[in-house]
Amino acid sequence: HYSFFPGTPRWPANRRDLTYGFLPGNELTDEIKAVFSSAFQKWSAVTPLTFSRTDSFLTADIKIGFYSGDHGDGEPFDGVLGTLAHAFSPPSGRFHLDADENWIVSGDVMRSAVPSAVDLETVAVHEIGHLLGLGHSSVEDAIMYPTITSRTRKVELANDDIEGIQWLY
Ligand code: TQI
Ligand code: ZN
């Protein structure tokens, strides 16, 4: 079953059209940007929320960046595997990914012959759930279930995820 963060934080009713931006300097390919766009679409399809990309990182509601190791928020990344990414509850909008992972982009690769490769969209859909206010789910098929196997791809919302997000929005 789905859960929420303590106090049930969510984006307020006057902030339903959210923008997201990528950390300048990350130099992401169009393919990587398309992965995030697809991940946001999973959630906009089942809520009144919309997500659009902005080039203005500083004013974006959701700030996406790839970082290595200690990146100044008290929750350092740890190299390959371990923590893959983290996102904070609303209305923080901070969405950080571990630059040291072997991210799989669109079914194929950055470095995916590697046993430790992790599917980027899978992680993005999960972290966006956190950004919107969902905690972890006890339902194994749910996007918000707290474990995955490396190289697994799970990008479709389960009924449990949909019920949780529709309770919030
Ligand atoms: N990052 C954890 C996560 O997003 C961070 C975390 C731990 C967390 N406890 C939390 C976030 C409680 C919010 C609330 O769950 S992770 C997965 C999964 C991670 C894990 O790097 O371990 C995914 C990131 F579910 F597959 F294990 C993405 Cl999909
Ligand atoms: Zn999680």
Side-chain angles (χ1 to χ4, degrees), residues 45-125:
V46 298
T47 61
L49 302 170
T50 69
F51 303 99
S52 49
R53 185 158 75 85
T54 172
D55 287 326
S56 171
F57 181 74
L58 287 177
T59 63
D61 297 308
I62 295 168
K63 295 175 167 60
I64 304 171
F66 288 82
Y67 301 87
S68 276
D70 191 346
H71 53 284
D73 65 4
E75 305 201 32
F77 285 133
D78 52 6
V80 175
L81 298 181
T83 301
L84 312 169
H86 51 230
F88 298 81
S89 56
S92 157
R94 277 179 302 156
F95 178 1
H96 300 165
L97 300 102
D98 189 340
D100 293 331
E101 302 304 339
N102 299 300
W103 292 110
I104 303 176
V105 177
S106 27
D108 198 39
V109 239
M110 265 141 113
R111 288 161 281 184
S112 113
V114 192
S116 58
V118 180
D119 184 70
L120 178 62
E121 188 169 356
T122 300
V123 170
V125 176

Side-chain angles (χ1 to χ4, degrees), residues 126-127 130 136 144:
H126 180 96
E127 296 304 328
H130 288 319
H136 285 146
M144 298 315 295

